[in-house]
Amino acid sequence: MYLKATILTILGWFIGMVLDANIDFGDPMGFLSLRILLPILAMGLCILHELRHGSSR
């Protein structure tokens, strides 16, 4: 469980960082903060999945 959540969180951070670097809005503060949003979303979904299906420990 922990390894899956960690890998998905790091993957979400990396994808968000790449998207933030490549989407240009023109002004200096024009970033979407996807490098923050996607890891939080990934971790939250992993937590909700574990709460819904229960841990077998």
Side-chain angles (χ1 to χ4, degrees), residues 3 7 10 14 19-23 25-28 33 37 46-51 57:
L3 182 62
I7 290 172
I10 292 171
F14 183 74
L19 288 175
D20 272 348
N22 291 320
I23 297 175
F25 286 101
D27 59 18
S33 296
L37 178 67
C46 287
I47 291 170
L48 287 175
H49 182 268
E50 285 299 315
L51 287 175
R57 296 178 204 205

Side-chain angles (χ1 to χ4, degrees), residues 15-46:
I15 291 171
M17 184 177 63
V18 169
L19 288 175
D20 272 348
N22 291 320
I23 297 175
D24 186 28
F25 286 101
D27 59 18
M29 291 300 291
F31 56 87
L32 297 174
S33 296
L34 293 174
R35 63 182 168 264
I36 298 168
L37 178 67
L38 292 180
I40 291 172
L41 202 64
M43 183 59 71
L45 289 174
C46 287

